[in-house]
Structure formats: C-alpha cells, structure tokens
Amino acid sequence: MQDAGQVVLRDIVLVGGGHSHVGVIKRFGMRPLPGVRLTVICTDTDTPYSGMLPGYVAGHYAYDEVHIDLRRLAEFAGARFYRDEVIGLDRDQRQVLCRDRPPVPYDRLSINIGSMPAVGLVEGASEYAVPVKPIRRFNERWLALLERVCRHAGRTTIAVVGAGAGGVELTLAMQYRLRGELQRRGRDPDALAFHLFAAERDILATHNARVRRSFERVLTERGVVVHRAAEVSRVSAGRLCTRDGETLAADEVVWVTQAGAATWLRQTGLALDAAGFIEVRATLQTVSDPLIFAAGDCAAMLGRPLEKAGVFAVRQGPVLAENLRRSLLERPLRVWRPQRRWLALISTGGRYAVASRAGMHAEGAWVWRWKDWLDRRFMARFGDLLPMADQARSQRAPVPLDENEALQATSALAMRCGGCGAKLGGTLLSRVLAALHPIERADVLIGLRAPDDAAIVRVPPGKALVHTVDFFRSFIDDPWLFGRIAANHALGDIFAMGAEAQTATAIVTVPPGLERKIEDNLLQMLSGAIAVLDDVGCALVGGHSGEGSDLALGFAINGLIDENLAGVLRKGGMRPDDVLVLTKAIGVGTLFAAHARLRARGRWIDQALAVMAQSNAPGARCLREHGATACTDVTGFGLLGHLVEMVGSSRVSVEIALDDLPVLDGAVETSAAGIVSSLHVANLRARRYLRNPEQGSGHPHYPLLFDPQTAGGLLASIPLARADACLRALRALGYDKAARIGRVLPADEHAEPICLLAQARAKPSG
C-alpha cells in the first residue's frame, strides 16, 4: 500500500496493464519519486505476456507462467490498483472517466491499452468469430473454444483469419494442442481440419523469403489449408465468405487480423492516426497534450509507422517510466528510438521455432529453447518480487522536489492540530457533498438535503430502532471499493438481526495532504459507500470527518424492526436438529496478510474483494423466508468466535464438518504457510470451546476457523426440512459458496459445546 507517512503531491495514472506499463510500475517500485503516487486502472488483474501465449495455447506453459499479476506488482510498487473499465477522459479537469466509479484525477496520464482486431469492419465477425485481441481477455475465449471443440462430435473445421506471424503461430499452436486433446480422449486427431486465410498473396508478409518458405513447409506438412489473396468479407453461423466469392463451412472462426483501436479514444480530443491510434512524439508524449503519454499498440509514432508487436512495447517501458518522472520534475525528456531490425522467434506448435531478423533465418529445437529462456527471463522480472522488494528498500534514494513542491510538502506535514482543529475544511466538505446524491426517505425530516447540527429522523408507528456502529482503517488502496466494503460491513449487524436499514451517519478519517487529494479520497470513498447504502434504502444523513494517519471509514447505522420484535433474529435461538448455514466463504484475513507480504495471487484478492463487496441484505431475507431460528454475521472474531456466541446464547452444542467449510481461493495455501492476520492470535482463545481440537487441528481448514473476516457472510441455523431449499435459493441469489457446515445438537453439560468433524457426515435429505 501507499506509504501513509508520505504526502501525495502528484498523481500518475496508468490506464491499461500492457507491456510498457508493467515496466513502468516495476521501475517506480524500485525507485519511487517522493510525493508521487501511481494509480493503475485496468479491467483485469492478470495481464498476459504475448510472447508466451502461443506456448500456453499449445500446452507448454501453465496459466500463471504466462501472466503477470498486476495487483501484486502494484502492491510491490506502492501503487493503487483500480479494477475498472476506462470509458473516456475529461482533459479540461484532468480526469479519467471510469464505468463504475467517480472520475480519477491525474497530473500525468499514460495509456497502454493494446489493440483489438477490427472485427466490426467485416459483417458477422463480431458475432460469429473468436477475436484474439485484446489479449488480456483471450484466455476465457480460448478455453471456451477448447471445450467446444473437444465436445464436438465428428469432424471439426477451424478457420483462422489473418496470416501474419501471429495468425500462423496461433494456428499451429491450436492444432498441436487440440490434436493432443483428442488423442487423450481416444478420438481421431485427423478429424480436425485447419484453414488459414491470408488477405495477401504471401503469409508472414513482413518476414524474409526463407522464413516464409519454412512456415509454408510446416503448414503443408501439418495439413493446414492456406487460402491466399482471400480477404474475408462476411462471417455467418458456421460459414465464412471471401471477396472473391469463396465460401467455407467452419465450426470455429478465429480472428487474428489487422489491429484496431479502442473506440473511446475518439472522444478524447487527442490527435489520432487514420486507424484511430494515439499519435505520439519520439518522447512517447501525445501530440495533443503534454500531460498525456501513450505506448504499445495503442500508440502511433509520428514519422515512423511501427508494426503492432510486443517487442516495441517492452522496449518503450524504460523510456516511458523515465519521461513520466522527468515530466513531473520539468526536466528534458528522453527520446525513444525504435530498432530498425528486431528479432522474432516464432514457434511451430511443438518445441520447435524459427528465428527471423531482417534477412536472417534459423530454425530448430534449439531456437525454441532459446525463446523459452528469453521469455522466462522476462517473466521473472515481474514474478520474483520478494527479493526485489528488499533490493528496492536498500536502493531508494530521494529525488529533490522543486521549491514549490517542497513548500507544499512541508505545509502538509506540519504539526497537525487535534480536537476540532483536525476536522476537514467546510468548503472541501461542501464540494464533496454537492457531488454525492444519497437516497432520500420520507422519514428523514432533516438530513443532508438541508444540513443542520444533527439529523432528525421519524420512527414509524409500530417500529423500534436497531442501532449499530462499525469503523476500521483501509486495508486496500482503492478508496471507492473500500467505501463499498465498509458500508457492507456496517450494515451486516442490521441484516443479521432481521431489520431494515433506515439511516446512516459516517465517520471518516483522511490522511493530511493537499486539499484536492483529500477531496478525491473523500469523494471516491463516500461514492462507493453511498452506492451500497442506496441499494438497500438506507439514507446517509450526516457524519463527522477528520484527519488521521490512515484512511478510515465507519458508519453508525439505524435500522427498523417491529416493536413487538416479530421477525427479529438473535444469536440465541438455535434448536437441536437445525442445520448450520454459512452464506459466504472465509479466508479474508490470511489472504490480505499474505497480500501485504506479496505472497498472494492477485486473483485470490479479486475474489475476496468481490465477496466483501457483496451485500448481505438478500441473504438475510432468504434466511428469514426459510425459517432461520438464529443468525449473526461473521466478522472480526472469526467463524469459531461468532459460533461460540451463538452456542452460548442458545444453550446447545454444535457439530462442524471442516470439509464443508466454504473457503476463498488461496486461503488454504496462505494459512498453511503460516501467514495469518494480526487478530488471529487473539481469536485462538476460542479453542477452549472445542470438544476435540485434536480431531481437526491437522485439517487444512482448521486455521481458518480463527481467521477474522471483513464484511463476512451470515451464519444461521435453519430447520433441517428447509435447509436444502434455503441453500438453493441462496445460490440463485449469487451466494455461490453458501454451504451447510454442520448441525445443532442438544447441549452436553459434560463436554465442550463445539465438536469438529474432519470429514463431513452423509447429509440427510431435507
């Protein structure tokens, strides 16, 4: 995470996770610029390395071997990682417009979003073809195609449109993998037919004649039919047509043609070339705006047209990182000079490759081994982050700020007042509140619409108030997402008791700094929270804000329930023969402890964040509808700690099946490595309530009984006869890992109340 002791003076925003940007992130991680914060905005956590994708398709590499973990890399660099889609720019306000969150301000901006095949230019291609680009989303499309082909009975015809190096290499990789898959299933690999469509007379038109002849030979040997000067003009269900009238019946069409640009770039006002790519100077600075840079496939260099090849994006990374740094320091920028000739190592499906560089040609298994060594060396730069983190800490040296920036930093870090002097400024708060639009309720008589010293809220006749409060500091560098999670966490107690959320007051702490940076943090955080509150009809009616060392957020929530307590769910109330149901998976604490140590995969963190951002409101309604007899939300005390509270209040015993505990991906691995949350040790005290700790202590799920959760799921007891229907309904509502984790037994005065089963009992049907 960002160093809390450092005042943010400037923001560099990186849009996209391409090859150039991964280099920028790493370099800023190794040598940060004091006062400068990086924010990475990308739709995906795992970004593929294009040079190894054909090897992945062919089956030579596993998924993680060919993907760079952007979230982990950002954590290493102290950069914020926003998983969102960029849809435009507001250059006047210096803001990046995102699909789900408020605009993100920038002082310098860099765009590295790659390209995509121009499927929209050919009738039917968007609907019926499988595009290779954007490569960040290729894996899901490839796995779906692989599954379809393996399930397809009889002969399968696959057409690949595009006969450059990418199209030829992908054709041979797919053929190699699919033939192997069919053989493993005892099917005839010759039932596969591949057709390669070239718009020009030659395949690999940008490579020398000897390279072309090598691949012509290989394609002939492998039985791939090459269609030359065959520009595809239309694709329909099961068929494609060329401009010359040739047609082919094809079960699958894969599109690897000339790349196109993202459509949102057209509305930015940036100068674009004829194909829609951003025009940049040799410094990688855009022609239109000195504050914006671009690199990789999405950029077009003035006076030097370049092939859309990953080698250029990789080579641009060091210059881009240096120029972003120099631009903020107002120093002369470096010029990037692309090489006139570059080495291409193109595989032939198996562990054999062809080397091409200008007029040079070589081929053999040794070329593939060479390519493999180069690719693995490149990926190691972004995978072996733990030793790099130690090296970075020892090498980081401050870069002098200019006089104005030094003054701003000194002012922001000056001794801060306490008490009311720590409040945020009224003008700043007014601007933020004007941008927020919390839901309005008729029972809110005085709230944020006309703020006063306090809110006044009517309690409807026949209703009683339910009060709760929660507050904690941020554990992620995304204030918008943190706001959503904090709101969900605070609402959990209301829903666990079967109440309706009515109003909320916020308690906010923001680190000191420049006013505009504080304003952005506050706006992002409260926007995320209000979206959650609005969804459940809870009106934000006021709050308190102040400065502190960490970003933190909490809410005092008022809820409503029938004054006769009809429908209230309490921790007590479990009855023998009830079934224990848990709505969400556990493992949040160990995963984020591992993330802080660079020991967690980004996609594990993605899943954990998605679970924390999921509201408990639908789950609570479902549990009530299926006759829940007791309920609580699982948070800081961990599953066992909260279960102990329920058992004590209900005066029963319970049996927990460790096998049945729903667990977040990666949590078993991180807890087995001894990585636990700071609260884990305190939660271990609940072991004394276990009847047989030795029975489960060796089970991989055992440590997760004590793992503290944030915005965790609901733990409820459900009558046996309704448990299966309840679980089906929960899963239909999106609680994919909702599970039956045990059963309620009569109290045993001579034994501890909680019994562990290492293996699940056979579940009686209900």
Side-chain angles (χ1 to χ4, degrees):
M1 291 180 65
Q2 182 78 22
D3 183 358
Q6 182 184 133
V7 172
V8 176
L9 303 174
R10 298 286 184 271
D11 276 301
I12 296 175
V13 176
L14 306 179
V15 174
H19 298 351
S20 301
H21 277 177
V22 295
V24 171
I25 299 167
K26 182 192 168 187
R27 281 170 175 79
F28 270 84
M30 297 296 291
R31 193 167 66 96
L33 188 59
V36 175
R37 176 175 59 188
L38 256 65
T39 301
V40 183
I41 308 177
C42 193
T43 56
D44 299 282
T45 293
D46 293 320
T47 188
Y49 173 45
S50 59
M52 296 179 80
L53 270 186
Y56 167 70
V57 169
H60 304 314
Y61 303 116
Y63 177 89
D64 287 322
E65 291 179 292
V66 304
H67 286 81
I68 297 169
D69 191 329
L70 276 180
R71 186 180 288 281
R72 184 167 173 261
L73 183 62
E75 182 73 8
F76 158 76
R80 303 189 298 183
F81 182 77
Y82 290 1
R83 195 173 176 203
D84 207 335
E85 180 184 1
V86 172
I87 58 174
L89 301 179
D90 181 343
R91 288 170 50 211
D92 292 334
Q93 297 298 317
R94 298 185 188 177
Q95 293 178 332
V96 178
L97 308 180
C98 298
R99 184 166 300 282
D100 294 325
R101 71 184 64 232
V104 180
Y106 66 85
D107 296 288
R108 296 296 183 274
L109 173 67
S110 180
I111 305 172
N112 181 208
I113 55 175
S115 59
M116 55 196 307
V119 288
L121 302 179
V122 176
E123 181 185 347
S126 297
E127 185 176 359
Y128 297 108
V130 177
V132 171
K133 292 190 176 183
I135 60 172
R136 60 179 176 78
R137 299 174 65 181
F138 172 68
N139 183 60
E140 60 195 65
R141 296 189 293 267
W142 159 243
L143 292 179
L145 185 149
L146 181 64
E147 180 69 16
R148 289 195 302 270
V149 171
C150 289
R151 289 188 174 189
H152 189 267
R155 188 171 180 80
T156 301
T157 298
I158 299 175
V160 179
V161 181
V168 171
E169 191 173 24
L170 185 64
T171 298
L172 294 171
M174 288 194 300
Q175 186 192 51
Y176 182 89
R177 175 71 176 277
L178 290 169
R179 286 179 64 87
E181 292 291 338
L182 292 185
Q183 284 177 319
R184 277 188 284 276
R185 287 166 168 76
R187 293 172 54 188
D188 180 11
D190 291 332
L192 284 171
F194 275 83
H195 292 253
L196 180 65
F197 285 78
E200 302 175 349
R201 291 295 310 170
D202 290 323
I203 61 171
L204 294 105
T206 60
H207 294 266
N208 66 65
R210 288 188 295 169
V211 171
R212 291 198 296 272
R213 284 196 296 270
S214 288
F215 277 99
E216 286 166 354
R217 183 193 75 246
V218 171
L219 291 167
T220 300
E221 290 171 353
R222 307 278 174 84
V224 176
V225 180
V226 179
H227 302 255
R228 300 174 185 274
E231 184 180 355
V232 175
S233 59
R234 188 173 75 255
V235 182
S236 57
R239 186 171 299 276
L240 57 76
C241 304
T242 69
R243 293 202 182 280
D244 292 340
E246 180 185 5
T247 63
L248 175 74
D251 300 290
E252 301 285 347
V253 178
V254 181
W255 208 264
V256 202
T257 62
Q258 180 63 39
T263 56
W264 64 265
L265 294 175
R266 300 171 194 161
Q267 279 73 52
T268 61
L270 295 172
L272 309 176
D273 71 0
F277 297 110
I278 305 168
E279 291 187 332
V280 297
R281 305 184 192 281
T283 57
L284 304 179
Q285 209 169 31
T286 62
V287 171
S288 314
D289 192 329
L291 304 182
I292 300 178
F293 294 73
D297 283 4
C298 71
M301 278 194 71
L302 284 181
R304 179 72 192 279
L306 296 175
E307 193 173 332
K308 301 300 182 186
V311 63
F312 294 119
V314 171
R315 297 288 181 88
Q316 288 170 340
V319 175
L320 178 60
E322 183 63 22
N323 282 349
L324 286 168
R325 188 185 301 270
R326 291 185 179 206
S327 175
L328 285 173
L329 296 172
E330 298 184 356
R331 295 176 180 171
L333 304 187
R334 282 179 55 189
V335 169
W336 179 67
R337 294 182 174 85
Q339 59 269 46
R340 294 285 176 181
R341 300 180 297 174
W342 68 93
L343 177 67
L345 301 176
I346 311 166
S347 59
T348 63
R351 297 175 186 266
Y352 190 97
V354 177
S356 171
R357 185 173 188 268
M360 185 271 283
H361 157 268
E363 62 181 272
W366 70 269
V367 178
W368 190 91
R369 291 193 296 272
W370 182 25
K371 171 178 168 57
D372 176 64
W373 178 79
L374 290 172
D375 288 340
R376 289 184 185 274
R377 187 178 67 166
F378 173 79
M379 291 297 289
R381 300 178 194 172
F382 307 100
D384 301 333
L385 296 179
L386 286 173
M388 290 182 201
D390 294 335
Q391 180 185 354
R393 278 190 289 270
S394 67
Q395 291 185 356
R396 286 174 183 171
V399 177
L401 302 169
D402 65 28
E403 184 178 348
N404 183 50
E405 287 179 321
L407 182 62
Q408 292 179 73
T410 302
S411 174
L413 282 174
M415 183 178 291
R416 316 302 296 177
C417 294
C420 289
K423 287 172 65 71
L424 299 183
T427 303
L428 183 155
L429 286 172
S430 296
R431 288 197 302 267
V432 171
L433 291 175
L436 300 173
H437 304 286
I439 193 172
E440 294 184 11
R441 291 178 58 111
D443 48 10
V444 176
L445 305 181
I446 296 178
L448 285 180
R449 190 173 185 179
D452 214 304
D453 288 338
I456 298 179
V457 181
R458 178 190 298 116
V459 178
K463 294 291 183 179
L465 277 181
V466 183
H467 293 283
T468 186
V469 64
D470 267 299
F471 178 83
F472 52 83
R473 62 188 176 91
S474 180
F475 53 96
I476 53 173
D477 273 322
D478 182 339
W480 177 81
L481 186 53
F482 172 59
R484 294 182 63 85
I485 292 169
N488 268 326
H489 184 87
L491 288 163
D493 289 334
I494 297 292
F495 299 139
M497 296 201 72
E500 165 205 346
Q502 183 192 28
T503 61
T505 49
I507 311 101
V508 179
T509 301
V510 182
L514 301 184
E515 186 174 279
R516 60 193 174 93
K517 304 300 182 185
I518 294 176
E519 183 176 340
D520 174 54
N521 262 338
L522 193 59
L523 176 62
Q524 294 278 342
M525 190 163 56
L526 290 180
S527 293
I530 285 175
V532 170
L533 296 172
D534 285 357
D535 280 347
V536 296
C538 183
L540 182 69
V541 295
H544 177 81
S545 62
E547 289 184 348
S549 59
D550 297 298
L551 190 68
L553 177 64
F555 294 92
I557 307 284
N558 286 338
L560 297 173
I561 201 159
D562 288 344
E563 63 181 1
N564 61 7
L565 302 187
V568 68
L569 288 173
R570 304 185 66 179
K571 294 175 183 177
M574 293 194 296
R575 299 179 301 210
D577 293 328
D578 279 353
V579 169
L580 288 176
V581 170
L582 182 61
T583 62
K584 293 184 183 182
I586 57 177
V588 165
T590 178
L591 284 173
F592 278 90
H595 183 51
R597 294 165 174 79
L598 304 178
R599 298 281 296 276
R601 297 194 186 281
R603 61 178 176 274
W604 298 347
I605 302 302
D606 286 347
Q607 185 195 43
L609 290 170
V611 167
M612 287 188 279
Q614 184 178 26
S615 173
N616 277 326
R621 285 194 297 271
C622 180
L623 294 172
R624 291 199 307 274
E625 290 167 0
H626 288 85
T629 56
C631 186
T632 191
D633 60 329
V634 180
T635 53
F637 296 152
L639 176 62
L640 188 61
H642 290 285
L643 183 58
V644 166
E645 293 177 331
M646 296 180 75
V647 168
S649 299
S650 303
R651 298 182 180 179
V652 294
S653 297
V654 296
E655 191 176 72
I656 299 297
L658 291 173
D659 275 355
D660 289 341
L661 294 183
V663 173
L664 291 167
D665 293 348
V668 168
E669 290 89 332
T670 55
S671 62
I675 303 172
V676 296
S677 167
S678 55
L679 190 56
H680 184 99
V681 175
N683 288 349
L684 285 173
R685 296 169 186 155
R687 284 180 300 188
R688 65 181 183 270
Y689 296 99
L690 293 175
R691 184 176 307 174
N692 57 338
E694 72 289 342
Q695 175 74 15
S697 58
H699 194 285
H701 290 173
Y702 177 79
L704 300 176
L705 291 171
F706 313 98
D707 189 62
Q709 307 304 293
T710 301
L714 299 173
L715 175 62
S717 53
I718 303 290
L720 174 62
R722 307 185 70 176
D724 287 344
C726 179
L727 283 169
R728 286 194 297 271
L730 284 169
R731 289 166 186 156
L733 289 170
Y735 299 93
D736 298 335
K737 291 203 172 187
R740 177 195 307 213
I741 66 168
R743 60 176 182 158
V744 182
L745 305 171
D748 185 344
E749 296 180 0
H750 304 290
E752 303 302 337
I754 301 174
C755 177
L756 299 180
L757 296 178
Q759 294 183 336
R761 291 185 186 275
K763 296 183 179 71
S765 60

